[in-house]
Amino acid sequence: MKNQQVLLTGVTGFLGAHTAIQLLNKGYEVIGTLRNRDRISSIKEVIGQHTDHLDKLHFAVADLNDASIWNDLAKGVDFIQHVASPFPTTLPKNEDELIVPAKNGTLNILSAAVDNNVKRVVMTSSLAAIAYGRQNKEPNKILTESDWTDISRESDLTPYYKSKTIAEKAAWDFIRQDASSLELVTVCPGAILGPVIEKDYGTSAEIVVALMNGSYPALPKIGFDLVDVRSVADLLILAMESPEAAGNRYIAATGYLTLKAVALILKDHFPGHKIPTAEFPNFITRMLAQFRPELKPVLLEMVRRKTDISKAQRELGWKPIPVKEAVIACANSLLELQIVKNNGKT
């Protein structure tokens, strides 16, 4: 890995920071991009707590929509890990607020990679690009990397899921039309848990925060394909290094847990916290969503989407951390950082 350079987009994100740590610990030079220069010192300090190779980490301020800057940043780079993607804290008024930067950013990075003879781009997509837009179509179908979310079925989508699908499809369309030797691999994670390393934490960790701080009086009957953030970072690097990964998609998920199952794991390991395990009837969840549009994504998880998660393990030898450990590690880190207090409040 000596002197091999990786351009990593979204270094301040939950997954981006963990990926930077693993790349540095493997000996890569990492150029981490972020949108706000003010975050450099804090993220550098956080990453420095988990690696002895901080001298190999560099930063660049970049916007996904700025085509010119990516061409400069890709000079001399061996690989690009494209992790950054717009993620809303609230539902956007216009879906293009997510779709346009997600798609344009991906195309800008791929164009820069071609112009600078980058060997391979690994793009972090999402299970959102595989499992949605189905509206109970083939409910027993086992979804694999060959499946795509149908963006025409709006009732089984959110703007974020649509943006991830459009951006990944645009990437594969680009590669099909490109005459260069650039290789593309995409990784599609489920809900990402595992250890939070700073107070600006990943959105998926909100699942555990809400359970531990008493936000839920009872639980909606929903579930997720879950994965530990450390395992996703590991798979991103396997996807970058493995010759056989070129041209492939990989689902990054370790197992399916209902929200109640997550709550029971937490209740067992953290008996001092009042963690709810009773469930709402589905009609109540649907009724609440009528008055609170931000709950619409919850409704989509009331249907289990069955996935075959074996490809990455079978082809790349990926050994993901068990989901139970991912849940417990997430909770422990939230307590250590005092995002959740020992009395169960935030």
Side-chain angles (χ1 to χ4, degrees):
M1 320 310 167
K2 191 176 180 182
N3 298 325
Q4 284 200 308
Q5 285 202 351
V6 180
L7 177 61
L8 168 69
T9 71
V11 70
T12 58
F14 183 35
L15 176 57
H18 274 276
T19 305
I21 290 162
Q22 290 194 27
L23 286 167
L24 292 167
N25 286 337
K26 291 198 76 173
Y28 289 99
E29 293 267 349
V30 177
I31 304 162
T33 75
L34 66 177
R35 288 180 297 170
N36 186 347
R37 187 174 298 280
D38 294 342
R39 286 281 280 125
I40 291 176
S41 61
S42 62
I43 195 64
K44 187 174 183 180
E45 183 181 349
V46 166
I47 290 172
Q49 294 168 12
H50 302 274
T51 182
D52 295 326
H53 305 286
L54 208 55
D55 58 309
K56 290 180 174 287
L57 177 62
H58 317 281
F59 295 97
V61 178
D63 186 287
L64 288 172
N65 285 311
D66 184 352
S68 60
I69 197 163
W70 295 109
N71 209 37
D72 291 338
L73 290 174
K75 285 181 171 62
V77 162
D78 298 285
F79 303 102
I80 297 176
Q81 287 279 359
H82 179 33
V83 180
S85 183
F87 192 97
T89 51
T90 58
L91 286 174
K93 291 180 181 176
N94 185 336
E95 63 182 16
D96 284 343
E97 293 173 32
L98 296 176
I99 294 169
V100 171
K103 180 181 177 181
N104 289 352
T106 297
L107 294 176
N108 287 338
I109 286 160
L110 290 170
S111 295
V114 168
D115 291 346
N116 289 281
N117 299 310
V118 173
K119 177 177 173 54
R120 183 177 293 184
V121 173
V122 179
M123 175 184 177
T124 302
S125 182
S126 172
L127 202 54
I130 290 175
Y132 295 83
R134 307 198 68 78
Q135 288 182 325
N136 298 322
K137 181 177 71 172
E138 301 177 284
N140 295 316
K141 177 179 169 63
I142 307 296
L143 300 165
T144 71
E145 287 84 352
S146 64
D147 290 293
W148 284 92
T149 288
D150 182 350
I151 61 170
S152 70
R153 294 174 177 262
E154 297 278 355
S155 64
D156 194 37
L157 280 179
T158 69
Y160 175 70
Y161 296 173
K162 193 171 182 179
S163 75
K164 295 301 287 188
T165 307
I166 288 170
E168 192 191 346
K169 280 196 167 184
W172 287 116
D173 288 343
F174 178 98
I175 290 295
R176 274 190 288 272
Q177 295 164 21
D178 175 51
S180 78
S181 60
L182 177 66
E183 297 170 349
L184 176 66
V185 188
T186 61
V187 173
C188 302
I192 303 176
L193 296 181
V196 169
I197 56 175
E198 62 165 341
K199 291 194 175 183
D200 183 5
Y201 55 89
T203 307
S204 296
E206 280 289 353
I207 297 167
V208 178
V209 173
L211 287 169
M212 295 189 75
N213 70 9
S215 293
Y216 289 119
L219 309 175
K221 293 181 180 179
I222 59 174
F224 312 89
D225 273 301
L226 295 173
V227 63
D228 191 291
V229 64
R230 295 164 293 182
S231 296
V232 184
D234 178 38
L235 181 53
L236 290 177
I237 296 170
L238 283 171
M240 184 180 85
E241 294 177 338
S242 306
E244 61 270 35
N248 277 286
R249 302 173 89 196
Y250 293 98
I251 292 172
T254 318
Y256 179 90
L257 288 181
T258 63
L259 195 56
K260 180 173 182 175
V262 175
L264 288 169
I265 290 169
L266 293 171
K267 194 176 184 71
D268 183 48
H269 279 77
F270 304 96
H273 291 255
K274 292 182 179 177
I275 295 167
T277 56
E279 292 180 307
F280 282 126
N282 285 344
F283 79 89
I284 290 183
T285 306
R286 290 191 185 96
M287 185 173 67
L288 289 171
Q290 295 294 320
F291 300 99
R292 297 178 61 184
E294 71 272 16
L295 292 177
K296 181 189 174 186
V298 172
L299 299 181
L300 303 185
E301 309 310 330
M302 288 164 62
V303 176
R304 178 168 182 186
R305 297 157 200 275
K306 299 172 186 173
T307 51
D308 180 346
I309 58 176
S310 67
K311 182 180 177 182
Q313 297 176 54
R314 187 175 66 249
E315 294 185 3
L316 303 183
W318 182 50
K319 296 180 174 63
I321 293 164
V323 284
K324 185 175 180 180
E325 190 177 327
V327 171
I328 295 165
C330 185
N332 277 327
S333 66
L334 293 169
L335 290 167
E336 286 166 17
L337 290 170
Q338 298 190 326
I339 294 167
V340 174
K341 308 293 187 199
N342 276 316
N343 63 3
K345 303 297 181 184
T346 52

